[in-house]
Structures are given as C-alpha cells and as structure tokens.
Amino acid sequence: MVNVTVYSTNNCPWCTVAKNFLKEKNIKFIEKNVQNNREYAQEMIKKSGQMGVPVIEIGSEIIIGFDQAKIKQLLKIK
C-alpha cells in the first residue's frame, strides 16, 4: 500500500471530508496539520506550490483539494 498524507487545518471542511472518505475506505493516512506546524506548511507548499488545503499526497502524486475520482484512481478503490 502506498503512503497517504493529508495536509490540513483545524477548521477546513474539505479536509474533514477527505479524511472521513479515507477512513470509510479503510485507508491509513498521516495527517499533517499545517495550521499548528510551520514545518508541515513549508513542506506542503514546497511539494504542491499551494497554500490552500487540503493537499493530499498519495505515493509521489499530489492532489490539490478533495478530488474523489483521482483519489480512488490512485488508490485503486471503488
């Protein structure tokens, strides 16, 4: 299984949707809260070029926002 990381903030509704979706599909992921950790924020910006969340990293692929179809494709889930 590939590594999955969700860059999020405390009050981001789409971050919650993304995390709940992954949990429902039994996909283990690491959450990196960029609001509470400046290093995570810098890491996210360097990888994605984005300051907005969620940013989801699946393996070496970066997804900006909650793109359910792309997440399913990369994780090979229905």
Side-chain angles (χ1 to χ4, degrees):
M1 187 53 91
V2 296
N3 291 331
V4 179
T5 303
V6 178
Y7 294 92
S8 65
T9 60
N10 295 336
N11 299 315
C12 162
W14 285 109
C15 299
T16 301
V17 170
K19 291 182 288 185
N20 286 340
F21 173 78
L22 292 170
K23 287 175 189 171
E24 287 169 13
K25 299 296 184 182
N26 294 315
I27 303 296
K28 292 183 181 181
F29 63 92
I30 297 167
E31 180 179 3
K32 293 189 174 183
N33 188 313
V34 299
Q35 185 173 334
N36 297 336
N37 186 313
R38 192 167 188 77
E39 287 180 28
Y40 289 161
Q42 294 296 328
E43 181 181 304
M44 179 190 78
I45 294 165
K46 183 177 178 182
K47 288 183 179 188
S48 70
Q50 299 291 313
M51 294 179 68
V53 289
V55 170
I56 303 166
E57 182 178 21
I58 299 175
S60 62
E61 297 284 331
I62 298 292
I63 300 171
I64 310 300
F66 176 64
D67 184 341
Q68 184 173 329
K70 185 72 172 175
I71 294 167
K72 285 180 168 182
Q73 175 194 351
L74 291 172
L75 293 173
K76 297 176 177 65
I77 56 178
K78 296 181 180 182

